[in-house]
Amino acid sequence: MKRFALPLGIFLILLVFLGIGLRLKPQEIPSPFIGKPAPAFTLTLLHDAQKSFSPKDMLGKVWVLNVWASWCAPCRAELPALMALTKEAAIPIVGLNYTDTRSAGNKWLASFGNPYQLSAFDSDGKVGIDYGVYGVPETFVIDKSGFIRLKHAGPVTEDDIKDKFLPLLKELSGG
Amino acid sequence: MAKAPFRSLCTALLGLFCAALLLWTGSAHAGQGAPAAVNPALEQRVTQLAQELRCLVCQNQTIADSQAPLAVELKNQVREQLARGQSDQDVIDFMVQRYGDFILYRPPVKASTWLLWFGPFVLLALGLLTLLLKLRQKPAAPADSLTAAELAHAAALLAGESPPGEVAPAARSIPAITTVSNASTAATASTA
Amino acid sequence: MIPELGNLALMLALCLAGVQATLPIVGTFQNNARWMALAGSAAAGQCLFVVLAFASLMASFIQNDFSVAYVAANSNSLLPVFFRIAGVWGGHEGSLLLWTLMLALWTLAVVLLSRQLPRATLARILGVMGWISIGFLVFMLFTSNPFERTLPGPVDGRDLNPLLQDLGMIVHPPLLYMGYVGFSVAFAFSIAALISGELDATWARWSRPWTLVAWMFLTLGIFCGSFWAYYELGWGGWWFWDAVENASFMPWLLGTALIHSLAVTEKRGSFKSWTVLLAILTFSLSLLGTFLVRSGVLTSVHAFATDPRRGFYILIFLAIVTGGSLALYAWRAPKIGLGGQFSLFSREALLLVNNVLLVVAAGTILLGTLYPLFLDALNLGKISVGPPYFEAVFVPLMIPLLLLTAVGPFLAWKNDSIQAVLGRLRWLALGAAVVAALALLVFKTSVMVAVGVTLALWILFATLWQVVQRLWHAPAGTSLRQRISRQPRSYWGMVMAHAGIGIFVVGVTLVKGMESAQDASLHVGQSVTLGAYEFTFSALKKIQGPNYIAARGTFEVRRGADSVATLHPEKRFYTVQKMPMTEAAIDRGFTRDLYVSIGEAAPDGAWLVRVQHKPFVSWIWAGCLAIALGGALAASDRRYRMGARQRAAASPPISSPVHSFV
């Protein structure tokens, strides 16, 4: 009788979903900004409070925005990868120093390396929130028209550069 | 009947007792103390909204309960916006714009969540309907009618004799005839 | 040496489980009495070895043997001894061993207490339980061995999670697992019945006490978890609709449906295939819960360290056990049939409605818990489903259930008339309406509070009324004491459990509807007011605990001129895991709890303090305990106790006709 097999049928469908679920990452939050314009902001620079930076300064260029902080251990781990990225792809990386202090941030860059063309100083984290930042580090790829094309949460590794960043950056730069 | 007034009296007394209980606790709420927050009415709204928003860095907490820096900052955002005169929906839109639907503990009602929101009630309706239909159906033959052979078998067992050969139960819903279940069914006769 | 012995014991247990699972069932097909009898001995042997393994792990903890990786991850030399014992089940591997221990103990109980079962039936039941044991033992030995060593071991352990260093932690998982595992007995009974094709009222009679005891333990386990979260997590919440909590609640809901369904099958021979299905589903949900919590598929505060590889294994296990049993059900259930007849308006029909409501409720929680997974798997985005959803959907489902809980006991079996029942209930309905009106008009509560309190009192009045009626109509000439003792215990169990639900609903409604909180930034000497209570922060002391340092505040609580309580909330810092924790201070009362917790200190020395007033929250705990007590009473009914049955011949109990009420 078919109705007795109904529980079995429902269970099998459930099993399939649970099986797929094992491969998913429930904690990763996709960004709602992909394909949308990068939110505007104006922030002072980390090393110079007199100068400021805004994403519209970068219009016409493909660039990368990397959210970092001196209190963030994985940010240090991804520094070599970021250095490699900016050299290989010849793409500027702008840092967004997130809920940090000027002195700690500058000292960190001096001690461990500075892959950034410049770093904007987001002391209260409001710009971070505008970009949907929920953890550090995070990296965005923004195209010539100022649209966000990629968001990567967590430290950037060599594999990420090879598989995700370089192909996209090449495509956005026009071949 | 003499019993009816007694029953209604009992009910009324119980009602009065419970009402008195409620009254006693109700008085504990008399009056508001000096507010600690700048604006307690605003705080109330902030807390209510904060309980609908998920802390993104925690495993599974609201930003109202979480002490994580991002949660505290988001809660401040909520407070600032509500103070500026934004509505609850405005704040929710603000959060969703930046973090997606994931930040809402109350999933939005859209095509992909129709099953989620309406499924339970549809399921309930289906369940009750199925039940109703099954109960209305009359079965082909009443389940507790026995053939002559089975009647003889039962009579033999009740008389305490061994049944004529081990008769395997047919595909009917009669009790499996073993001496053990016989003993326990005899014991059940004396209890309700 | 001891961990190796423990490992060996597990391997031997697996061998015996293998014997228990295979030979007896084969023996039933071949009518081989010796093989069938093997089941009991194999089960006893397996239990012995599992107990030895558990004892070895416990010994490793007590002796601080940090060369065992699991001990190092969950213990520390500064950890007090009783928490070291609790640490045995504080992590994934140890909790699996606890599951296996519970299963072995339940199996042994079945062996010892089921002498009256036919040999073949007992063989099948033990065989099925053997298969489940194999699953857990293989899982442990191949993927999650608690006895794995790291040599050389670390000097000291990483300490038990501070959240778990509490009496509630010691008690909560064993109670919960007793419940989860206990449902495997009803499951095994069902599978045995499906295999043999024999399913009758006596099957229900045998299953029922086992199921009631399992359900009682699950009730206590969930109660413990909630009670513990309330005082341990520091913000006064007690239920968060978290994935792991839902994983325990779903089997409870289905278990409740199962005990009602079993009651009907036992008394009337009806619902047989439905009851079998429920038994299979209840245990399957226990297993599903185990999967959800350990696989990383869902995020939860309670989840164990996640590992998709382990998740894959449990999924296979779940597929075999549940898939296999549902397939068996699909094949064999048509032969079972529904059983005795009853009309559309009868107690059976109402109990079926109870079942539909409970199953839909459990299904709803499953839907809500897994929906984010569904959408993510289908690439439709990521959403969160949290308390706002569950409350919005669960409460409307529960309202008809609560309404009918009061009505059910007033209906006769087989057939009853609507007018007669309405007649029995008309005064109660009036009383309930009066309460609702009082709540809304006099106390000006919200609609939800009015509805909740009315429903709760409806159930309480009806239950009390039922009892009064029953005792009133006992045979003349018997004393009240005799009348009470002659009611079967299953009747008192029902009364207690239903009353417990009423008490529980009062608590939940009033707490959720009328609780209040106040945050304040206080220096020592300042005070904050909440309602009629004034909380004065009179002192702050730094104290040293065994494995933590803490700031201990003293709060004087006054109501008007009277001193109500002195409370000591703490803000602890556990030095090994470097984890801060809030220990709230609670002044419990019959009609309200006062809850004080301290948070962070500001640089200027002011402490963030939260004071809460929670009306009737103790009724939630009382309700849960009453429900569990109801289960215990029902399980100890004399029908299930051999010795008591013989004594029963002397004093016949009073039968339960509903007809005599009118």
Side-chain angles (χ1 to χ4, degrees), chain C residues 337-419:
Chain C
L338 257 182
Q341 297 311 300
F342 49 90
S343 83
L344 198 57
F345 195 71
S346 60
R347 200 185 286 194
E348 290 96 321
L350 214 62
L351 283 172
L352 268 180
V353 174
N354 153 305
N355 273 200
V356 168
L357 285 165
L358 285 168
V359 170
V360 169
T364 302
I365 297 179
L366 186 65
L367 183 68
T369 309
L370 291 181
Y371 209 76
L373 178 93
F374 292 152
L375 285 190
D376 200 6
L378 294 172
N379 237 332
L380 289 171
K382 277 205 160 83
I383 63 166
S384 299
V385 179
Y389 168 79
F390 287 108
E391 283 167 18
V393 167
F394 191 72
V395 171
L397 284 178
M398 284 296 109
I399 290 177
L401 187 68
L402 292 173
L403 210 56
L404 294 176
T405 305
V407 175
F410 285 94
L411 255 68
W413 293 103
K414 197 156 182 174
N415 193 10
D416 208 334
S417 80
I418 303 186
Q419 290 97 316

Side-chain angles (χ1 to χ4, degrees), chain C residues 14-138:
Chain C
L14 178 60
C15 295
L16 285 172
V19 169
Q20 181 192 334
T22 49
L23 295 182
I25 295 186
V26 172
T28 60
F29 290 120
Q30 298 177 340
N31 228 329
N32 185 333
R34 273 178 51 212
W35 280 16
M36 288 196 272
L38 262 180
S41 338
Q46 192 212 138
C47 186
L48 174 68
F49 285 115
V50 172
V51 168
L52 278 177
F54 194 80
S56 326
L57 189 60
M58 194 175 283
S60 305
F61 265 86
I62 295 177
Q63 293 172 358
N64 280 326
D65 184 354
F66 296 119
S67 64
V68 179
Y70 180 70
V71 177
N74 289 289
S75 186
N76 185 276
S77 51
L78 292 172
L79 194 62
V81 146
F82 37 90
F83 290 138
R84 273 187 256 160
I85 294 175
V88 172
W89 52 83
H92 164 70
E93 294 85 346
S95 71
L96 279 181
L97 186 53
L98 183 68
W99 238 97
T100 313
L101 176 71
M102 295 290 164
L103 187 55
L105 291 173
W106 275 95
T107 312
L108 187 67
V110 171
V111 171
L112 294 174
L113 296 173
S114 304
R115 301 287 158 97
Q116 79 278 26
L117 284 176
R119 200 175 36 213
T121 312
L122 186 61
R124 285 186 200 106
I125 291 168
L126 292 174
V128 170
M129 293 183 84
W131 278 107
I132 304 171
S133 299
I134 290 178
F136 276 92
L137 286 163
V138 165

Side-chain angles (χ1 to χ4, degrees), chain B residues 12-180:
Chain B
L13 279 174
L14 273 168
L16 275 174
F17 170 68
C18 295
L21 212 56
L22 283 171
L23 189 65
W24 181 24
T25 59
S27 61
H29 288 279
Q32 271 279 67
V38 175
N39 185 344
L42 179 68
E43 261 336 278
Q44 176 92 321
R45 279 182 74 201
V46 171
T47 309
Q48 262 179 334
L49 250 188
Q51 277 170 351
E52 300 250 339
L53 297 172
R54 184 174 191 157
C55 167
L56 300 156
V57 295
C58 319
Q59 285 285 56
N60 195 12
Q61 277 181 279
T62 64
I63 62 175
D65 295 329
S66 167
Q67 298 296 327
L70 180 62
V72 173
E73 183 52 45
L74 285 176
K75 204 162 140 187
N76 290 336
Q77 273 285 336
V78 172
R79 192 178 292 116
E80 274 176 41
Q81 300 209 359
L82 287 179
R84 272 211 303 267
Q86 307 271 53
S87 72
D88 285 4
Q89 189 58 46
D90 291 332
V91 176
I92 290 180
D93 290 338
F94 176 90
M95 294 295 173
V96 172
Q97 199 182 32
R98 284 152 182 73
Y99 294 101
D101 289 333
F102 187 75
I103 198 174
L104 297 177
Y105 265 136
R106 183 190 299 265
V109 184
K110 45 194 207 197
S112 58
T113 58
W114 280 345
L115 178 60
L116 179 69
W117 280 104
F118 303 121
F121 305 106
V122 168
L123 196 62
L124 180 65
L126 275 178
L128 289 175
L129 197 67
T130 311
L131 183 64
L132 194 68
L133 290 174
K134 283 215 78 60
L135 289 182
R136 281 262 179 87
Q137 258 177 2
K138 301 272 181 270
D144 47 14
S145 74
L146 306 172
T147 66
E150 287 162 342
L151 274 170
H153 192 170
L157 281 167
L158 285 168
E161 297 157 15
S162 49
E166 266 298 310
V167 177
R172 277 177 174 277
S173 47
I174 50 169
I177 313 287
T178 64
T179 48
V180 176

Side-chain angles (χ1 to χ4, degrees), chain C residues 12-13 82 111 153 155 177 282 287 311-312 333 355 378 385 557 607 615:
Chain C
L12 290 172
F82 37 90
V111 171
V155 173
Y177 288 12
T282 308
L287 287 181
F312 182 66
N355 273 200
L378 294 172
V385 179
V557 186
W607 287 84

Side-chain angles (χ1 to χ4, degrees), chain C residues 208-214 216 489-490 493 628-641:
Chain C
R208 205 167 158 205
W210 296 103
T211 313
L212 279 165
V213 172
M216 177 196 75
R489 280 206 199 159
S490 58
L629 181 60
L633 281 172
S636 64
D637 187 280
R638 87 166 63 121
R639 288 181 300 212
Y640 311 124
R641 293 177 292 137

